Amino acid sequence: PADGLGGSTEFSHLPLWYAHYDNDVSFNDWYNYPESHGYLGPFGGWTDPTGKQYEDTVHAARAKVEACDKNIDWNVMYIADDDGGGDDDDDGDTGSPPPPPTGLDPDGNTIGTALVQLSCDAISGALEYEFVIEYSSGGEWRPYYTYSSSDNVQAFWPQYDNAAYRWKVRARNAHGWGEFSDWAGFDFGETGGGGDLPPAPSGLTPDGQTITASPVTLSCNTIAGATQYEFVIEYRSGANWNYYFTYSSSDNVQTFWPQYDNASYRWKVRARNANGWGEFSDWAGFDFGETGGGGDPPPAPTGLDPNVVTIGTASVTLSCNAIGGVTEYEFWIEYWVGTSYSYYYTYSSSTNSKTFWPATPNTDYRWRVRARNDNGWGAWSDWAVFFFFPP
């Protein structure tokens, strides 16, 4: 087990000192630390610890201890008062986390300025405050941001205008995090809160057509208050849809020039207003090219030459079988260095052959090739190899 005691409780009558190098000067890890962080909390029958080493051994010079030039440990200790609870300095600290903060402001206001300042009443002994903010969208509360502050005041600039916000806060002292406050709320923007995200766009066109000439203009119905539209396009290759491009526009119309001829395309769009991005529309689709959609990229080339031979000339000509409809070939070359192949060069050619002059003699080379047509790049061929031994 993680406690190293095998589940035994034989020693729980003794004071407990444990080591956990989390740099937290409290027993928060004992009482509140989540199991997902790798520490199991109370173990071995103990309900409360007496001491914790919160930092590994450090040199006195780094620790700013001037008494001696030694290594020291950083520890936090619990000292009981006369009645067995809390400390004995009569400062009101009973050994508990702080109470939920009160006096939250703003609460119930409408704020029209860019900056909003959240505050609560200060809590004696608090070392940290955590401000959790949510905003309303479509009738639901959504997470906005969580701020951590050493003070009981936190400023922020809300991103979503004309929306309702709510927030809560909790505090941490040497004994851990306390409970959250109740929610406080405010409306932000000149028209108050409650603004919704835009709906999913409708009226998408083209949808279901065959288009034979560039460009293609995508459009959807205008949405009131929308300040931006995002168009996501995919194209079909074989049985799969592949990502093509995403356009951002201030208008509900976007023009583009499809790169892949004789292929199927599909697209969707979403809109944004002052409250954020709305949902995407359903997919719309069209075929592009004189023969309609569904064209495939070319297959992997075959018939690679040279392969498994020794080349004794200064130049080497790589070639493969020609593939119908191909507009470009790409030749990828590597050479042997010590224990593995290293990248050499990539050549592009409009034909199925390419001549090059290897720079490193008396070594093995390997190469492969792929082809491209109007529907995109096809798969790579298998590797071919040759030994280069020039005169």
Side-chain angles (χ1 to χ4, degrees):
D3 57 35
L5 296 172
S8 173
T9 60
E10 288 294 320
F11 307 98
S12 61
H13 63 288
L14 300 173
L16 173 67
W17 170 95
Y18 67 100
H20 186 204
Y21 305 144
D22 59 355
N23 294 307
D24 186 355
V25 191
S26 77
F27 296 116
N28 186 43
D29 56 339
W30 179 272
Y31 296 108
N32 300 305
Y33 210 71
E35 185 173 339
S36 62
H37 283 58
Y39 190 74
L40 300 181
F43 56 78
W46 284 283
T47 57
D48 299 288
T50 299
K52 179 183 88 171
Q53 183 179 344
Y54 59 85
E55 186 176 353
D56 200 0
T57 301
V58 296
H59 192 269
R62 185 167 73 84
K64 298 183 180 178
V65 177
E66 299 177 355
C68 57
D69 186 22
K70 300 292 183 181
N71 291 333
I72 66 170
D73 294 339
W74 285 119
N75 293 269
V76 60
M77 304 296 291
Y78 173 79
I79 306 299
D81 61 13
D82 294 338
D83 61 6
D87 56 25
D88 58 1
D89 58 6
D90 206 20
D91 63 357
D93 181 2
T94 61
S96 301
T102 57
L104 276 67
D105 182 66
D107 186 21
N109 316 29
T110 296
I111 300 176
T113 58
L115 180 148
V116 177
Q117 186 159 283
L118 311 176
S119 67
C120 63
D121 292 338
I123 297 177
S124 176
L127 304 173
E128 185 179 4
Y129 295 84
E130 187 177 64
F131 296 80
V132 175
I133 308 170
E134 297 183 351
Y135 73 102
S136 179
S137 176
E140 298 181 357
W141 289 106
R142 303 174 185 266
Y144 180 81
Y145 203 78
T146 298
Y147 293 95
S148 179
S149 173
S150 60
D151 196 4
N152 61 315
V153 177
Q154 176 65 50
F156 81 108
W157 287 258
Q159 179 181 358
Y160 305 123
D161 200 7
N162 302 324
Y165 288 77
R166 70 177 186 178
W167 65 285
K168 61 183 179 180
V169 60
R170 64 176 179 170
R172 180 177 70 86
N173 61 16
H175 305 286
W177 284 105
E179 298 293 326
F180 273 105
S181 66
D182 293 332
W183 289 102
F186 62 91
D187 289 340
F188 181 75
E190 294 182 0
T191 63
D196 294 330
L197 300 174
S202 59
L204 278 65
T205 181
D207 186 21
Q209 294 101 304
T210 295
I211 300 174
T212 60
S214 291
V216 176
T217 298
L218 312 176
S219 68
C220 63
N221 292 336
T222 303
I223 297 177
T227 57
Q228 189 176 3
Y229 294 82
E230 188 176 66
F231 297 80
V232 176
I233 307 171
E234 296 183 352
Y235 72 99
R236 191 176 183 86
S237 176
N240 300 316
W241 287 104
N242 299 319
Y243 174 76
Y244 181 80
F245 204 78
T246 298
Y247 293 96
S248 180
S249 173
S250 60
D251 197 3
N252 62 316
V253 177
Q254 177 65 48
T255 297
F256 80 109
W257 285 255
Q259 179 180 359
Y260 305 123
D261 200 7
N262 301 323
S264 295
Y265 289 77
R266 69 177 186 179
W267 64 284
K268 61 183 179 179
V269 60
R270 63 176 178 170
R272 178 180 181 178
N273 62 16
N275 301 305
W277 286 105
E279 298 293 327
F280 272 106
S281 66
D282 292 332
W283 289 102
F286 62 92
D287 289 341
F288 181 76
E290 294 183 2
T291 62
D296 295 330
T302 58
L304 277 65
D305 183 66
N307 189 19
V308 196
V309 295
T310 296
I311 305 293
T313 58
S315 65
V316 178
T317 298
L318 311 176
S319 68
C320 64
N321 293 334
I323 300 175
V326 165
T327 57
E328 186 178 1
Y329 293 84
E330 188 173 63
F331 296 82
W332 178 292
I333 307 170
E334 297 181 354
Y335 69 105
W336 185 258
V337 181
T339 58
S340 63
Y341 281 100
S342 179
Y343 174 76
Y344 181 78
Y345 204 78
T346 300
Y347 294 97
S348 179
S349 174
S350 60
T351 66
N352 60 318
S353 66
K354 180 63 181 179
T355 298
F356 79 108
W357 284 257
T360 304
N362 306 325
T363 190
D364 286 318
Y365 285 76
R366 71 176 186 178
W367 64 283
R368 61 182 180 175
V369 60
R370 63 176 179 170
R372 177 180 179 178
N373 62 15
D374 289 337
N375 300 305
W377 285 105
W380 287 101
S381 67
D382 293 332
W383 289 102
V385 296
F386 63 89
F387 183 73
F388 181 61
F389 187 75

